[in-house]
Amino acid sequence: MTVNSAVNGAPGGYPPDGAQARRARELLRQERQTRIAQLAVLEHEEDGTSEGFLARRESLQGTLEEIDAALGRLDAGTYGMCEDCGEPVPAGRLEILPYARRCVQCQQRRR
Ligand SMILES: [Zn+2]
């Protein structure tokens, strides 16, 4: 049970119109632009068949998918909540990794 869900009945994440959600959206937008720019540079410079190129492109595309998924969670009001344990993901973690799905403990358990 999180503070948010106890107070206003929200699913437990950031309320979609709150200041925290706006901040997260901003971070995700920046992150998205950075990845798209990196992808463009990569496709421009690299030999499209090398293993390194494919791995880097896949990693960037995977991150973009995570960013889009995080934006979806923001709209749904579930952003900021760990997918595994349901506890709030610390704001400091989301500041560094705005598309994080899980708290550090749950993420480490998956490795
Ligand atoms: Zn967790």
Side-chain angles (χ1 to χ4, degrees), residues 60-81:
L60 282 169
Q61 283 168 341
T63 303
L64 278 168
E65 279 169 25
E66 286 301 308
I67 291 168
D68 285 343
L71 287 166
R73 292 197 296 280
L74 269 171
D75 289 339
T78 58
Y79 181 86
M81 195 172 63

Side-chain angles (χ1 to χ4, degrees), residues 36-93:
I36 287 170
Q38 285 172 341
L39 205 54
V41 169
L42 188 68
E43 304 214 329
H44 187 68
E45 285 181 355
E46 300 269 336
D47 165 15
T49 56
S50 79
E51 233 171 77
F53 167 83
L54 292 173
R56 281 167 66 196
R57 192 176 64 176
E58 202 167 297
S59 150
L60 282 169
Q61 283 168 341
T63 303
L64 278 168
E65 279 169 25
E66 286 301 308
I67 291 168
D68 285 343
L71 287 166
R73 292 197 296 280
L74 269 171
D75 289 339
T78 58
Y79 181 86
M81 195 172 63
C82 175
E83 282 190 355
D84 286 1
C85 69
E87 292 294 320
V89 179
R93 172 164 168 76

Side-chain angles (χ1 to χ4, degrees), residues 28-38 64 67:
L28 286 164
R29 252 202 303 270
Q30 286 170 9
E31 196 73 31
R32 201 164 193 284
Q33 277 168 355
T34 306
R35 305 299 165 180
I36 287 170
Q38 285 172 341
L64 278 168
I67 291 168

